[in-house]
Amino acid sequence: MSAGDPTLFAGGSDWSPSSWRAKPARHQPAWPDPAEVEQATKALRDLPPLVFAGEARALTRLLGRVADGEAFLLQAGDCAESFDSSADSIRDKLRVILQMAIVLTYSGGVPLVKVGRIAGQFAKPRSSPTETVGEIELTSFLGHMVNDIGFSEAERLPDPHRLLTAYHRAASTLNLLRAFTRGGYADLSQVSSWNREFVATSPAGRRYSQMADEIDRALRFMTACGVTADNTPQLHEVEFYTSHEALLLDYEEALTRVDSLTGATYDCSAHMLWIGERTRQLDGAHVEFLRGVHNPLGCKIGPTATPDEVLTLCEVLNPRRIPGRLTFITRMGADRIETLLPPLLQAVRDSGHPVAWACDPMHGNTYTSTSGRKTRNFDDVLAEISGFFAAHTACGTWPGGVHVELTGDAVTECVGGSDKILDADLERAFETLCDPRLNGRQSVDLAFQVAEMLSERR
Ligand code: PEP
Ligand code: CO
């Protein structure tokens, strides 16, 4: 990689990995003992990077194709990952994402960029810093990187040693992902076997099986023509990237490294980092930290965002206008997206800033069910994506991707979908640590519907 690489930019002499400390940082835990935080971050600074700068640059280039309207981003995974996830659960989550990617590529007809909310999604901003049950008020659950979900004083006490555990959990998850995506599990000849275990009995599963048969037939044809996994690695391996919300800046700073090849600074905790809706203040610590690292960035954009704010975010986070550097992840709510999104799209389009636009159809559509569970309706999720496509079509811009919360576990957390999960079913398998996630069937179902919207756009 030469210093003339277009994905590199000057960080600015007023930026350093710790310059965020002079700015207000929202949603940081109230650690009981600052000396323990210092000890944990010192240990983190001595540990190897989790991802490598060249990988982050490769993802920036792929996202540049999304910004240019030539590829589609699928960013998906847990709302809050658990330290207790089993290898099977991680594999199943990856499998659902790969299944969705195949559906979108095959039926939607576009190259897919695959990014997991995985291997680091351990910290959560919460609407209230405390939770009260009866007479007892405790710190809210802030993600396994901070505390535990059980409602006792000991479990809810923020513990900085968890920063180190988060690093090691991220490392082992990433190791598993690298093995699965490079070691044959993601081979295109496996597309039908991914389906065998659980979705084959659902309507989306039957549709998937049919598609898998077609892909198998195409692969047999290609093999007969001499195109095989031996001479075409794309048939055998999947390029899969990691991402999480860069929330806890002590952790992110400690994993920031200077790339020996280029001299540029990268946050090596994940390939892509995003700024959450609650921490995207222009004068805040999160924008300050992330503007100086060279990773591809996401930024959530909710209903209160104005065109001016969005344009300033473009200037601050992507001053060199590098395609793929910045992805806006909009999360407006199904009933508001078609009104709120177009002014933002027009402003960015007219400014000439290269932005990849992705739709998070989850976080603007959460409500409390009659049974008291926080849930989302599959139809609202779909309606927001449909409104996202309509807004882009109206503005002549590219609906670049979707960002969804899902799991491969057979949960009942979101209502609706072809299995028609009802309010009364939510109790059966409501397992999330934070927000309600789509299960495997709902996710594959969603992919087919998005693929239809995509093929209509092409
Ligand atoms: C999330 O992605 O889990 C999240 C908290 O989203 P947002 O910042 O958009 O509210
Ligand atoms: Co969430």
Side-chain angles (χ1 to χ4, degrees), residues 79 117 124 363 376 405 435:
C79 178
R117 285 176 63 114
K124 297 308 299 175
H363 290 89
R376 291 156 176 161
E405 289 184 342
D435 290 338

Side-chain angles (χ1 to χ4, degrees), residues 78-80 117 121 123-125 245 274-279 300-302 329 331 360 363-364 376 403 405 434-435:
D78 244 307
C79 178
R117 285 176 63 114
Q121 179 57 18
K124 297 308 299 175
E245 178 175 350
W274 80 84
I275 307 175
E277 169 68 1
R278 294 169 182 79
T279 50
K300 292 287 195 89
I301 298 291
I329 306 161
R331 29 89 84 220
D360 166 357
H363 290 89
R376 291 156 176 161
H403 176 119
E405 289 184 342
C434 193
D435 290 338

